[in-house]
Amino acid sequence: MRRRGRALLAVAALLATLMPAVSATAGAPARPARPAREAMLYRLTAQGHFASGARVRGHRFRINDVREIIVETQWWYLTSDRTERVKLITQEGHVYQEWENTLAPAPGRRGRTQAAGTTRIPVAGTSITRHALTGRWRLEVWLDGDSQPRAVRPLSLTR
Amino acid sequence: MTVSFASVVSVSTTITFTGIAVNPVGYLAATAESGQVTLYWSTPVSPQYSDSVIALRNPTSVPTETLTDFTSYGNGATVGSSTVIKVLDTDGASVVDGGLTNGLKYYYKIFNAYKDLYSETSNLSIDSTPTPGTGGTPAWTYSLAGAGASLGIPLTQGSRVIAARGNRLFALDRATGAQDWITSPLGGSVEGWLVPWPKSGTYSDVLGDWTAYTLYAGATDGKAYAFDTSGNQVWASGVLGDGIQATVSPQSWDLEFLNPDFQLTYTDGAGGPMDVVFVATRNGSTTNNTVSALRGFAASGGTPDGGTSIWTFDPQNLVPPAPMDIVVAAPQPTSAPHNLVIVGSYSAGQTQPSLWAINGVTGVNGPAGALVASKGVLGNGPPAHLGDITSEVTFGYACWDCWEVNTIYAGTASGYVVALNLPDLTEKWAANFDAGSPIVGYIWEDLYDPGTLYFTTQDGYVRAIRDNGASATELWRTATAIPSASSPVVDEDRGTLWVGGSGGRLVEIDTASGAMTTAFPGEAAETLGDPTVDFVGGRVYVGSSAGRLHAVPIPLP
């Protein structure tokens, strides 16, 4: 293992020596190859959906007013279908509910792929209103079987 | 090459496994009793690489240790600060971890194993606390890892208590909490209750016969499901809406309706008995919700076309259209002579009707003529509008030992109890008894004393009121001081009701006086939901925001 590591270092050093020379010959500045982009959660928003049809973006909602909370995600640089998991965590740290969405990447601008997920979290008439489950909750967004969430956002539920 | 084995004493070789994926177990559940915890799991189906399961137990926190591939771990071995519990696949899919200390929380993390290769288990850990079942502590507590909160009422049938957690249903032994079965994941979560219902054509034989039931549930994927009493899915409907939140309501051909017209309508095609299941939708829209009647169990041949729609009531097709908002309470079928399906809905900000009476017999011909009455505005003073129906619709019976329903009670978001006559939904009375808080869950009518009602409001008050015909009076009110009080469950024989709430609290109230006793079977960071009472076993079963199900001996100390 140690010997193989040394060999790799030697190759890397050789490439580092040759590359500027090659670039100079072509008459263009050196431009190192970009590393492969990792799946990236670009945007995470929460909107309260009211009986009037109005949608209000925010992170604090009154449980007796809002009908549902719509969580939208936007991902970049997915190379294949992935699964996002949206977890709603109570103030006490328990998982209230978990939702799964399939993310299907599509070509986007500047060569990156884009995928979007939408999760509708019912509030009216659910255990949240029936048992007045209020407090400082949080949203967690996970990707596939990751051991850590990709994003955590506060979500306050009040009366 | 030819090898002569006669000269070979021993052969040693190294086998390298490639392309083997040792997947984690499918679920992890635990039942805590006095001095022990029983763990339950399912090994992966595809691929089936599993020859044992290893659980790590830690007395202070969720085990953070991982298992090292190609290392053998024996039962009782120590890994970091955790202890190994090893189960070979020939031992089944459960293990009892005994000799534990009551009141101490134990944490478990589980690994599937194959030839000393181990799965990753990022989301399959669980905690479980053995309790003695005395002093207000649970006799047993069942937990399901990562399943989410479940505050709806668990149900008892035969020797089982059945409930839903997230997208799975399970049945437990009422005495011990031992898991009898658990379903594979459904397409969505079950928000309403799981309903066991006797199969048509078998009612005379059904008493005490658990197998003579079908279990029905609605899920957030917009489908209704039916299961047999072993947890096997019998059918799933098509997608009826964005989601089904309300409890689905089965009706037996030969048990409830007792109506020749109904029985002629709901047959299996050959004139034989067939049950029907009423289902209402929770759509994203405030206007396009519907109520459907689905084929349930048919006595002749099991379930031909089970889950297919018989009719769908879409009030937008009425002339003039009458849009229906989301339905979060069970559609309630009444017995003869009315044979109605009563539906309480939201009201799109008090702009639409929220109480509906649908003809359960003529409804088969489509929505035309199916609507008997709808109600939005009240005529007897405030509240001028019914508003959102936030509670289940409760029937008021004409007498304690008859099936005749003459009143329906509904709770509103503004804290009113509304009483209406059947079948025309004319108003009897509406009153709020100083309750400015929404009525939660359901209004419970006393079995032996029709017209006496018990209910909870979101601010934690429990009230008993009396329906006097043209008005209602308050008998008592009790401030539970619980900000998240549940609906009450009443045992009329004991003269007692129970309410769950935040802080792990369970409250016991005397129905005659309103006097209250409090116990703490749950943890401080746990809200207890709607209880159900085991009349025979002397226990209350109650779910919680932590995804646990507690069996608490009654009366509380």
Side-chain angles (χ1 to χ4, degrees), chain B residues 394-420:
Chain B
T394 300
F395 291 147
Y397 286 85
C399 48
W400 80 271
D401 57 351
C402 65
W403 288 101
E404 185 185 344
V405 173
N406 62 8
T407 306
I408 60 172
Y409 302 104
T412 75
S414 54
Y416 275 80
V417 178
V418 181
L420 303 115

Side-chain angles (χ1 to χ4, degrees), chain A residues 60-92:
Chain A
R60 181 186 175 112
F61 301 103
R62 293 166 63 94
I63 60 172
N64 291 328
D65 292 344
V66 69
R67 306 287 296 267
E68 60 183 358
I69 297 170
I70 301 172
V71 177
E72 293 180 323
T73 57
Q74 190 173 6
W75 296 81
W76 285 359
Y77 305 116
L78 297 183
T79 54
S80 60
D81 283 7
R82 310 284 288 271
T83 300
E84 91 175 344
R85 289 181 288 138
V86 177
K87 295 183 182 183
L88 184 57
I89 313 291
T90 67
Q91 177 166 295
E92 293 79 19

